[in-house]
Amino acid sequence: MATMITEECINCGACEPECPNGAISQGEDIFVIDPKLCTECVGFHDEEACAAVCPVDCCVPDPNNVETEENLIARAKTIHPEKEFGGEFPSRFRKK
């Protein structure tokens, strides 16, 4: 499930540089996340980096775009073919 940015966004820009996939950009009114690039930080962090730095908690899971860890890591591997992810990659699905 791609993460999305809600209308509560205050355009602070804290999220944009945190995205390992370049999925976040300035939209017309607020920052937006491209679901084709979002991997929910699977392969990079054990939580969504944008949500971790958002001061107003507007980076949330998109209920209309639910995906499995398998799909997300496959996308990460496609976006970053030069990176070796291995079997123990970071993932919010593995949080304890």
Side-chain angles (χ1 to χ4, degrees), residues 28-77:
E28 191 171 310
D29 297 317
I30 62 174
F31 278 84
V32 295
I33 298 176
D34 182 344
K36 293 177 184 163
L37 294 175
C38 181
T39 62
E40 298 177 41
C41 292
V42 168
F44 294 92
H45 308 289
D46 61 3
E47 64 182 340
E48 295 89 344
C50 58
V53 299
C54 181
V56 293
D57 297 325
C58 67
C59 297
V60 298
D62 182 351
N64 297 315
N65 200 356
V66 178
E67 295 183 89
T68 64
E69 179 185 58
E70 182 177 88
N71 289 346
L72 295 168
I73 193 63
R75 180 176 304 130
K77 289 177 180 179

Side-chain angles (χ1 to χ4, degrees), residues 4 21 34 48 55 63 96:
M4 62 184 251
N21 303 314
D34 182 344
E48 295 89 344
K96 293 181 170 117

Side-chain angles (χ1 to χ4, degrees), residues 11 14 24 61 70 82 90:
N11 286 312
I24 301 174
E70 182 177 88
E82 73 291 346

Side-chain angles (χ1 to χ4, degrees), residues 3 8-9 14 16 27-28 36 39 52 59 69 71 78 82 84 90 92-93:
T3 303
E8 286 78 24
C9 176
E16 187 178 22
E28 191 171 310
K36 293 177 184 163
T39 62
C59 297
E69 179 185 58
N71 289 346
T78 299
E82 73 291 346
E84 177 58 47
R92 71 170 184 81
F93 291 88

Side-chain angles (χ1 to χ4, degrees), residues 81-95:
E82 73 291 346
K83 180 171 171 49
E84 177 58 47
F85 289 94
E88 295 301 317
F89 54 84
S91 172
R92 71 170 184 81
F93 291 88
R94 299 174 187 195
K95 286 175 104 176

